[in-house]
Amino acid sequence: MASLKAYIVTRALLVIPTVLILLTVVFFILRILPGDPIAAMVGQKVPPEVVEKLREEAGLNKPLIVQYFEYLFNILRGDFGKSMIWGKRPVIDEIMLRFPATLELTIFGFTLSVLIGVITGAIAAFRRGSKIDSSMRIYSIVAYTLFIPWFGMLLQMLCGVYLKLLPIGGRITPGSEPTTITSLYVLDSLLTLNFNALIDSLSHIFLPALVLGIVLSGAYTRLLRNNLIDVLSQDFIVAYRARGVRERKVVKHAMKNAFIPVITLMGLQFAILLAGAVLTETTFSWPGMGTFLLERIQYRDYTSVQGAIVFYALFVALISLIVDIVYALLDPRIRY
Amino acid sequence: MMLLDVKNLKTYFYSKRGVLRAVDNVSIGVDRREFISIVGESGCGKSTLAYSIIRLVDTPGKIVDGKIVFDGRDLVKLSEEEMRRLRGKEIGMVFQDPMTSLDPLEKIGDQIVETIIEHERVDKKEAWEKASILLEKVGLPGDRVNYYPHQLSGGQRQRVMIALAVSLNPKLLIADEPTTALDVIVQEKIMDLLEDMKKEDRAIILITHDFALAADRSDKIAVMYAGWLIEFGKANKLANEPLHPYSEGLIGSVPDVWEDRDIKPMLGFLPDLIDPPKGCRFKPRCPKAMDVCDKEPPTFSVDGRVVKCWLYGENNG
Ligand SMILES: Nc1ncnc2c1ncn2[C@@H]1O[C@H](COP(=O)(O)OP(=O)(O)O)[C@@H](O)[C@H]1O
Ligand code: SF4
Ligand SMILES: [Mg+2]
């Protein structure tokens, strides 16, 4: 197990250069984009002297390289800075306000995608060559290529507008929020046994999570199907059967083996999941990091955008670290 | 009564190209405590015969006809659940490639324990103790129960496979080319171990393409060719004076057993089993072929042996 610890430490240390590179790229891309936060905020009818003064206050008149290193230094100290507009609130506060919504959506979307992918993939593998198998193959391709805003709006039309079954936007009906414990509404509703809030928050999260889940499930469907077919043809499966192990248990072993590469895909897909979450959030007016990010990009709120991106990067790094640990725990060939 | 009595077994593969007669009308008997080898070139149906006995023929294969009487019961007629209870418990199996025959994600001990508790009412602790005793019996330290397959060498893994195969004390052990994937030095040791397993009132069927190995270890040898059993009899007799021209050829192509003979590699290839030659399937390669060989030869009994060849027709048929 000592090697596992060393592995985790290395993995964690690797996050630092990754975040640094990302930060640098984001910093300069934002500066290359036309427009700046002051112009976006004040419009064009303000006298140039005022604009100049505002720029100075925001530190935007310093040489770019100085701004860059100042920013870097602050981030390394854990200081995300203050928003350049909107009352100069600390960026970290704004992020913490939005993050639970994104976390909740990604947890649900992620769980649904793996669940759908594993079930459809397993069905396809056990019915290899049948019509069901072909339909699952088509499903995986279609799901993979669905455009989130389009698919989201389709479901909004169908379930929200047409069937009037589900709300089409927001996290919860205003006023029904559960007592805050984790800021994850579904979890808080459960913890406080607030069933109204539970139903309400579940009905809000269902459609966006389903959109995210379906779009991301395609890759799992394909991977699990192919892995399972491969594993089922391996010698050790026949060997299990030849020892009289019950078919139910043989299938369990096969699934476990087929699932290992799926774990790797989970780590790889997590960044895509977050990107998908940004689109899903805007489509469903979900008050998370994604809507926050897009809004602040429009206003060229440099510090907020940078802060959000760094936060996303750390989130991805943390998840892929967890995925690696789970992987190592499940696969002894990695562990020893 | 014989332990295993295979009668007129036919196992065919229904492939897209047509019906492949992998095991075609094979009859073979195995007595208790007997060590029998089944030899023949790769692709002649040896593995299919073995898998038929435990009824695990790969799709699109099917047992089409015949009987497999084991310990008084016809296995062909058993239900799937009855068959499952018999696998491992009464017939153990060792496979060709020990590198791929163990589940990479489970500890050796867990794999042995799972096998035991699928068949016997013992608690886990007892089964774990039994697992390490089993490992010691096959020449591995008992603490290897805590190892994962990838931590063991090929030879060690094959020992584990043997431990697994005998974990429930089966009356019959089938080993399908158990040493083919191993180093030469390890091969001998695994064969010794396998022979050792005979001591416990157990019959062994060894499947091999290595005639010398078969001659060296077994009581009887069965020679297969293109899905047919073409000769079956006592090992020393068959090795010293083979009756069937194919058996003769097989021995001729083994250099190290009979040093005084020249190596005569057999000419030609195994025929296509979907469209085999009319009459005797060995005819295209047979140096002694006659006109009558255009008809399928029946199985003749000669001097305690069976042989499927027209050469023995006049005196016995
Ligand atoms: N799953 C399968 N599908 C189709 N044909 C098969 C399958 N398994 C074996 N065969 C065919 O059956 C014949 C006998 O194969 P096998 O029993 O594996 O021979 P051996 O063990 O003597 O090498 C071969 O012609 C082989 O191609
Ligand atoms: S039956 Fe004829 S062709 Fe076949 S092995 Fe005997 S002699 Fe050769
Ligand atoms: Mg074989």
Side-chain angles (χ1 to χ4, degrees):
Chain A
M1 287 306 257
S3 62
L4 178 62
K5 268 187 203 138
Y7 177 68
I8 291 171
V9 171
T10 332
R11 236 2 224 81
L13 286 175
L14 272 174
V15 171
I16 296 170
T18 316
V19 170
L20 270 180
I21 291 169
L22 195 70
L23 240 173
T24 311
V25 171
V26 171
F27 182 91
F28 288 103
I29 284 184
L30 279 172
R31 266 70 179 178
I32 287 166
L33 284 177
D36 69 33
I38 310 301
M41 190 168 54
V42 299
Q44 279 158 11
K45 286 170 188 143
V46 178
E49 313 87 72
V50 180
V51 172
E52 200 45 45
K53 191 163 163 279
L54 284 169
R55 287 178 59 87
E56 202 179 312
E57 264 174 31
L60 289 174
N61 56 347
K62 290 182 199 164
L64 207 55
I65 204 77
V66 175
Q67 289 183 43
Y68 171 68
F69 280 109
E70 268 180 17
Y71 182 69
L72 220 55
F73 183 66
N74 286 336
I75 288 276
L76 289 180
R77 285 192 334 200
D79 181 2
F80 281 60
K82 293 192 171 81
S83 167
M84 297 197 146
I85 44 177
W86 270 292
K88 308 217 181 327
R89 290 175 56 180
V91 170
I92 194 71
D93 289 359
E94 296 207 78
I95 289 174
M96 287 330 279
L97 212 60
R98 303 297 199 105
F99 178 63
T102 296
L103 182 64
E104 193 164 37
L105 178 62
T106 47
I107 289 172
F108 275 80
F110 177 76
T111 311
L112 273 181
S113 69
V114 176
L115 223 58
I116 297 172
V118 167
I119 291 171
T120 51
I123 292 173
F126 285 118
R127 298 287 179 83
R128 172 179 24 160
S130 71
K131 284 208 176 86
I132 294 174
D133 185 16
S134 326
S135 12
M136 292 304 172
R137 195 195 316 263
I138 294 168
Y139 166 79
S140 77
I141 296 166
V142 172
Y144 198 73
T145 48
L146 280 177
F147 184 51
I148 288 180
W150 178 85
F151 184 47
M153 273 187 279
L154 191 79
L155 287 186
Q156 281 173 333
M157 293 292 282
L158 192 71
C159 304
V161 181
Y162 191 66
L163 295 172
K164 294 199 188 341
L165 277 175
L166 294 164
I168 58 168
R171 261 184 101 187
I172 198 159
T173 309
S176 326
E177 292 88 353
T179 318
T180 303
I181 300 172
T182 60
S183 296
L184 305 175
Y185 287 168
V186 174
L187 187 59
D188 286 351
S189 314
L190 276 174
L191 290 175
T192 58
L193 301 174
N194 184 343
F195 290 105
N196 280 334
L198 182 65
I199 304 270
D200 197 276
S201 52
L202 278 177
S203 71
H204 278 84
I205 204 168
F206 182 73
L207 279 188
L210 187 68
V211 168
L212 204 50
I214 286 180
V215 171
L216 287 158
S217 66
Y220 295 117
T221 305
R222 271 188 93 84
L223 185 68
L224 193 91
R225 174 197 178 269
N226 295 345
N227 286 342
L228 194 54
I229 287 175
D230 181 54
V231 170
L232 283 171
S233 73
Q234 278 180 30
D235 292 345
F236 71 86
I237 295 293
V238 185
Y240 269 129
R241 292 192 180 122
R243 295 199 294 271
V245 173
R246 284 175 180 79
E247 195 57 24
R248 188 170 49 79
K249 291 192 184 166
V250 175
V251 168
K252 203 189 81 192
H253 287 300
M255 286 293 277
K256 191 171 167 188
N257 275 274
F259 198 68
I260 296 281
V262 173
I263 297 171
T264 318
L265 183 67
M266 284 178 188
L268 295 174
Q269 274 230 33
F270 195 71
I272 302 172
L273 176 74
L274 285 182
V278 172
L279 292 174
T280 312
E281 286 183 12
T282 49
T283 310
F284 287 89
S285 327
W286 192 261
M289 298 268 295
T291 39
F292 172 75
L293 183 68
L294 289 185
E295 181 187 284
R296 296 308 161 94
I297 286 175
Q298 277 168 24
Y299 285 99
R300 301 290 184 272
D301 184 354
Y302 293 162
T303 39
S304 296
V305 174
Q306 286 161 174
I309 297 277
V310 170
F311 198 85
Y312 269 127
L314 290 174
F315 190 31
V316 170
L318 178 71
I319 294 295
S320 62
L321 184 65
I322 293 173
V323 164
D324 279 357
I325 293 171
V326 172
Y327 184 76
L329 287 177
L330 263 179
D331 192 342
R333 288 163 295 190
I334 305 289
R335 212 179 326 148
Y336 292 93
Chain B
M1 189 183 59
M2 284 194 152
L3 177 64
L4 176 72
D5 197 3
V6 176
K7 280 185 197 147
N8 305 104
L9 182 70
K10 294 181 181 174
T11 304
Y12 296 170
F13 288 99
Y14 292 85
S15 74
K16 289 210 177 79
R17 272 180 58 229
V19 182
L20 190 152
R21 296 169 163 81
V23 172
D24 208 5
N25 220 356
V26 167
S27 299
I28 186 171
V30 182
D31 268 322
R32 286 162 208 281
R33 288 179 295 279
E34 207 167 32
F35 192 130
I36 286 192
S37 288
I38 299 175
V39 298
E41 283 162 285
S42 165
C44 69
K46 306 182 295 293
S47 297
T48 306
L49 175 58
Y51 285 110
S52 300
I53 294 170
I54 55 167
R55 275 193 29 203
L56 282 178
V57 182
D58 207 5
T59 48
K62 242 203 195 117
I63 296 176
V64 180
D65 197 17
K67 282 184 180 163
I68 302 169
V69 182
F70 176 81
D71 221 5
R73 279 169 301 170
D74 184 0
L75 302 189
V76 177
K77 295 208 176 79
L78 291 192
S79 73
E80 187 44 47
E81 173 59 18
E82 285 170 317
M83 203 54 218
R84 180 195 70 74
R85 270 184 267 149
L86 189 134
R87 289 185 199 120
K89 177 111 177 94
E90 291 180 56
I91 302 177
M93 180 110 181
V94 178
F95 298 87
Q96 175 167 348
D97 190 353
M99 304 312 269
T100 56
S101 300
L102 287 162
D103 188 337
L105 300 185
E106 308 293 337
K107 282 182 184 168
I108 302 302
D110 281 320
Q111 301 193 43
I112 301 177
V113 167
E114 181 169 31
T115 307
I116 294 173
I117 57 184
E118 283 291 77
H119 295 280
E120 284 176 357
R121 289 174 155 271
V122 287
D123 58 65
K124 275 219 162 146
K125 193 167 160 278
E126 222 176 301
W128 267 92
E129 276 160 19
K130 203 174 165 199
S132 55
I133 293 170
L134 272 165
L135 288 187
E136 276 160 18
K137 204 169 87 179
V138 297
L140 289 172
D143 69 354
R144 294 296 185 271
V145 285
N146 290 311
Y147 280 48
Y148 285 94
H150 74 276
Q151 294 171 293
L152 304 177
S153 70
Q156 290 171 322
R157 289 194 213 188
Q158 198 60 302
R159 285 177 192 272
V160 171
M161 289 308 294
I162 292 172
L164 275 165
V166 300
S167 59
L168 293 147
N169 214 9
K171 298 184 201 92
L172 174 65
L173 182 64
I174 304 176
D176 188 359
E177 313 237 12
T179 57
T180 307
L182 301 173
D183 296 341
V184 186
I185 308 159
V186 185
Q187 283 183 0
E188 281 291 309
K189 291 184 181 155
I190 294 294
M191 279 313 304
D192 289 343
L193 179 62
L194 209 60
E195 232 181 320
D196 235 27
M197 294 299 125
K198 208 181 117 177
K199 285 190 195 128
E200 298 168 2
D201 193 21
R202 184 172 297 134
I204 293 177
I205 297 180
L206 170 71
I207 288 170
T208 175
H209 61 259
D210 183 346
F211 193 91
L213 182 74
D216 193 25
R217 303 278 177 169
S218 33
D219 303 321
K220 283 184 184 166
I221 293 177
V223 184
M224 281 187 77
Y225 183 79
W228 284 357
L229 185 88
I230 52 106
E231 188 170 354
F232 180 38
K234 287 239 157 52
N236 54 356
K237 275 191 169 179
L238 208 152
N240 288 317
E241 5 157 358
L243 296 177
H244 196 284
Y246 177 69
S247 310
E248 221 177 318
L250 260 189
I251 297 165
S253 61
V254 174
D256 46 346
V257 201
W258 290 272
E259 295 96 11
D260 52 356
R261 278 192 213 186
D262 287 337
I263 305 167
K264 288 185 292 183
M266 240 183 300
L267 297 171
F269 301 97
L270 204 63
D272 181 2
L273 293 184
I274 291 178
D275 185 21
K278 290 261 167 327
C280 176
R281 290 185 181 173
F282 188 56
K283 194 182 171 217
R285 294 166 80 178
C286 183
K288 297 179 181 167
M290 313 165 283
D291 287 346
V292 66
C293 302
D294 284 331
K295 284 194 293 178
E296 180 180 333
T299 303
F300 300 106
S301 289
V302 184
D303 169 32
R305 255 184 280 177
V306 293
V307 54
K308 194 176 171 70
C309 169
W310 282 117
L311 287 175
Y312 305 91
E314 292 107 279
N315 0 358
N316 295 276

